[in-house]
Amino acid sequence: MSTIGDLGEFGLIGRLTRRLRPGRAVRLGPGDDAAVIAAPDGRVVATTDLLVEGRHFRRDWSGPYDIGRKAAAQNLADVVAMGARPTALLVGFAAPLSTPAAWAERLYDGLDDECRAAGASVAGGDLVGAPEVTLAVTALGDLGGEPPITRSGARPGDVVAVRGRLGYSAAGMRLLAEGRDGPAELIEAHRRPQPPYAAGEEARALGATALLDVSDGLLQDLGHIAAASGVRIEVDSRAVPVPAILGADGPRHVLTGGEDHAFAGTFPADTVLPPSWSPVGVVAEGAGVLLDGREPEVAGWDHFRA
Amino acid sequence: MSTIGDLGEFGLIGRLTRRLRPGRAVRLGPGDDAAVIAAPDGRVVATTDLLVEGRHFRRDWSGPYDIGRKAAAQNLADVVAMGARPTALLVGFAAPLSTPAAWAERLYDGLDDECRAAGASVAGGDLVGAPEVTLAVTALGDLGGEPPITRSGARPGDVVAVRGRLGYSAAGMRLLAEGRDGPAELIEAHRRPQPPYAAGEEARALGATALLDVSDGLLQDLGHIAAASGVRIEVDSRAVPVPAILGADGPRHVLTGGEDHAFAGTFPADTVLPPSWSPVGVVAEGAGVLLDGREPEVAGWDHFRA
């Protein structure tokens, strides 16, 4: 079984790029100093995340394919949360030279498949040897002539609504930490989030005034909208869906668990929301986030403190 | 002295983004799910590099300001090597929570200053805690309506020329490894490369058929042009400038040392090159790189084997 050290940098680049399926937006793919990606809007949406082994994923909890899908998903969701269409991913991959080449190939299969699910593709990247596996993922997207849906447009009177699963990933991580192997649906949700990528276009069509993807916990992320928009967000805990599968800690997982990459947005008060969007609160004058009228005790995830 | 762990993720984001000077291309800067960058050409040039402590830089050899400048420079040079104008940088930064906040601030000062030197700015990023300092830098650029200058356009009969310092960084790294503190010019060159960013526009004006930045060693990087273009590149060692300051190993440093981010290009045979470009060889039918008619013994740097 050959390792990535056996193949060397350029051998591995060849192996991996052969597995990728370039999408329509890729004008020039891997192999040059840089890629060239279509940006028909005249602007490009761009976001980057750094995923470090032991902190953002564990190789004993997740296989390479799922790590790839998750790394891609969290960046593609950020593009969608701007109301944009994902076009391409750039991937920096650091790993020990002893890593099996097959592990790296499955990682890139996961990246490639998740890109396809969102209408994008892997267009380039960088490979380096390092003591730990690290992934640096940059996602690009196109706004199609529309303004970005930022975090700063929420207005008092707006309704707050969410689209997608909440709490599943946090519940699944808890199970893994406890050494349990079920319910499989929760563990799978932690290994491979399924952001509802259509949410960006839906939110735009519904007239969303603000939008983000829930990566650090619903209450904390709504706090970002509150801060950026200069408003208060009032969440009604009884309105937030808590599926029975989440168990006794379900309410907590739903309110503070990140990594499901659901979408949360604010909409004008008279918006008729389709069933896929659950109203969970309202926007008011003021600052911060209130849960049932009070300041919540725990909001979510800090990448530096946790 | 506060650490980045004391500040927390959002405290540090605030501290760092206040130091950045957004450029004209930044339509929406740090603070949302993603940045929005001007891409007036309708395409965007994009490249990413992952820099790992101990492998790409050493905190005992380089201060944070120089590490920032170097990390930015190597990505900005990749954009310029496509014949594009750099517009923006996204920076993923991982570091131990014990890292002084002032260290991170100087790092971002370096990133910001190097961006300014190339006409770009830092538009967004990601911060995470990790055992080692890791930087993931993505650079974006605009082609201004022109085709990219790739590695695949070299034709037999073309002249090969270089622009910028070669061998300085490798010589400086050797000095640092030997515990020496001079010549300062070489050590500074290792800590902070100075890519001649004007080279991209110059090369385009001169009708360059291929272009890249020399990041892994002149002979090795010319090999990439040879492979992509389906040609042989013949280098004349007597034509490659070897400044006396490089010492006894100068010829080797110049031919195989990376990280100076000089630019190497191929040009039609009748091109009148300005003095800033040094002709070092010719393009011929065939494959690979020849040095004085023979295959070179050592070509350059493999990020996986070194």
Side-chain angles (χ1 to χ4, degrees):
Chain A
M1 188 177 64
S2 66
T3 67
I4 64 175
D6 296 335
L7 292 178
E9 180 184 4
F10 301 107
L12 183 59
I13 289 173
R15 279 266 198 114
L16 297 180
T17 53
R18 271 196 297 277
R19 302 178 85 85
L20 301 173
R21 295 163 293 177
R24 282 183 310 122
V26 180
R27 297 278 180 271
L28 184 69
D32 219 296
D33 291 280
V36 181
I37 313 297
D41 174 85
R43 297 165 296 175
V44 63
V45 171
T47 180
T48 199
D49 275 333
L50 199 45
L51 292 88
V52 180
E53 180 173 7
R55 192 160 188 91
H56 300 97
F57 60 88
R58 286 175 54 160
R59 278 193 278 170
D60 54 338
W61 282 5
S62 297
Y65 180 79
D66 283 343
I67 292 172
R69 288 203 73 141
K70 186 172 185 167
Q74 73 177 65
N75 282 276
L76 295 163
D78 279 330
V79 169
V80 167
M82 302 303 289
R85 186 178 51 83
T87 52
L89 223 63
L90 302 176
V91 181
F93 172 45
L97 302 192
S98 59
T99 306
W103 195 95
E105 290 177 338
R106 288 300 291 159
L107 176 78
Y108 277 71
D109 287 347
L111 291 161
D112 188 69
D113 279 350
E114 190 68 24
C115 277
R116 294 272 277 211
S121 67
V122 179
D126 187 32
L127 300 174
V128 299
E132 284 172 311
V133 174
T134 301
L135 283 166
V137 180
T138 298
L140 305 177
D142 192 77
L143 283 161
E146 302 286 342
I149 308 177
T150 67
R151 299 174 173 190
S152 58
R155 297 290 168 257
D158 285 354
V159 61
V160 181
V162 298
R163 162 94 161 86
R165 299 190 303 200
L166 289 170
Y168 281 63
S169 180
M173 187 171 72
R174 166 88 64 84
L175 294 172
L176 285 164
E178 291 171 353
R180 293 164 64 188
D181 61 0
E185 187 179 0
L186 299 179
I187 289 173
E188 284 309 303
H190 179 69
R191 290 184 174 138
R192 190 195 303 178
Q194 294 183 31
Y197 293 118
E201 281 185 32
E202 287 175 12
R204 187 182 293 288
L206 292 166
T209 52
L211 186 67
L212 50 64
D213 81 304
V214 181
S215 50
D216 299 334
L218 178 63
L219 295 179
Q220 178 168 307
D221 284 321
L222 289 177
H224 297 318
I225 290 182
S229 298
V231 298
R232 187 167 78 201
I233 288 184
E234 300 179 351
V235 176
D236 177 357
S237 69
R238 292 162 306 177
V240 183
V242 184
I245 193 174
L246 297 179
D249 283 333
R252 182 188 169 88
H253 288 317
V254 161
L255 292 170
T256 66
E259 296 202 302
D260 286 301
H261 302 288
F263 294 89
T266 56
F267 302 86
D270 57 357
T271 305
V272 179
L273 292 168
S276 52
W277 287 85
S278 304
V280 298
V282 294
V283 179
E285 307 256 2
V289 174
L290 295 186
L291 178 65
D292 301 330
R294 285 185 293 188
E295 230 171 277
E297 282 168 31
V298 178
W301 178 261
D302 183 314
H303 287 269
F304 269 37
R305 295 195 198 278
Chain B
M1 187 177 64
S2 65
T3 67
I4 63 175
D6 297 334
L7 293 178
E9 181 184 4
F10 300 106
L12 183 60
I13 289 175
R15 280 266 198 114
L16 297 179
T17 54
R18 274 195 294 278
R19 302 178 85 85
L20 300 174
R21 296 163 294 177
R24 283 183 308 124
V26 179
R27 296 280 181 270
L28 182 71
D32 220 296
D33 291 281
V36 182
I37 314 297
D41 173 85
R43 297 164 296 175
V44 63
V45 171
T47 180
T48 199
D49 273 333
L50 199 46
L51 292 88
V52 180
E53 181 173 8
R55 191 159 190 91
H56 300 99
F57 59 88
R58 285 175 54 160
R59 279 193 279 171
D60 55 337
W61 282 6
S62 297
Y65 181 79
D66 284 343
I67 292 171
R69 289 204 71 139
K70 186 171 185 168
Q74 73 177 63
N75 282 275
L76 295 163
D78 278 329
V79 169
V80 167
M82 301 303 290
R85 185 178 52 82
T87 52
L89 223 62
L90 302 176
V91 180
F93 172 44
L97 302 191
S98 59
T99 306
W103 195 95
E105 289 177 338
R106 290 298 290 158
L107 176 77
Y108 277 72
D109 286 348
L111 290 162
D112 188 68
D113 279 351
E114 191 68 25
C115 277
R116 293 273 276 212
S121 67
V122 179
D126 186 32
L127 301 173
V128 299
E132 285 172 309
V133 175
T134 301
L135 283 164
V137 181
T138 298
L140 304 178
D142 192 78
L143 283 161
E146 301 286 342
I149 308 176
T150 67
R151 301 175 171 188
S152 59
R155 296 290 169 257
D158 285 353
V159 61
V160 180
V162 298
R163 164 97 160 84
R165 299 189 304 199
L166 288 170
Y168 281 64
S169 180
M173 186 170 73
R174 166 88 64 86
L175 293 170
L176 285 164
E178 292 171 353
R180 294 164 65 187
D181 61 0
E185 187 179 359
L186 299 179
I187 288 172
E188 285 309 305
H190 178 68
R191 290 185 174 138
R192 190 194 303 176
Q194 295 182 30
Y197 293 118
E201 280 185 31
E202 288 174 12
R204 186 182 294 287
L206 291 166
T209 51
L211 187 68
L212 50 63
D213 81 305
V214 180
S215 51
D216 299 332
L218 179 63
L219 295 179
Q220 178 167 308
D221 284 322
L222 289 178
H224 297 319
I225 291 182
S229 299
V231 298
R232 188 167 77 200
I233 289 184
E234 300 179 351
V235 176
D236 177 357
S237 68
R238 293 161 307 177
V240 183
V242 184
I245 194 175
L246 297 180
D249 283 333
R252 183 188 169 88
H253 288 317
V254 161
L255 293 170
T256 67
E259 296 201 302
D260 287 300
H261 302 288
F263 294 89
T266 57
F267 302 86
D270 57 357
T271 305
V272 179
L273 291 167
S276 53
W277 287 86
S278 304
V280 298
V282 294
V283 179
E285 307 255 3
V289 174
L290 294 186
L291 178 65
D292 302 330
R294 284 185 294 187
E295 231 173 276
E297 280 167 33
V298 179
W301 177 263
D302 183 314
H303 288 267
F304 269 36
R305 295 194 196 279

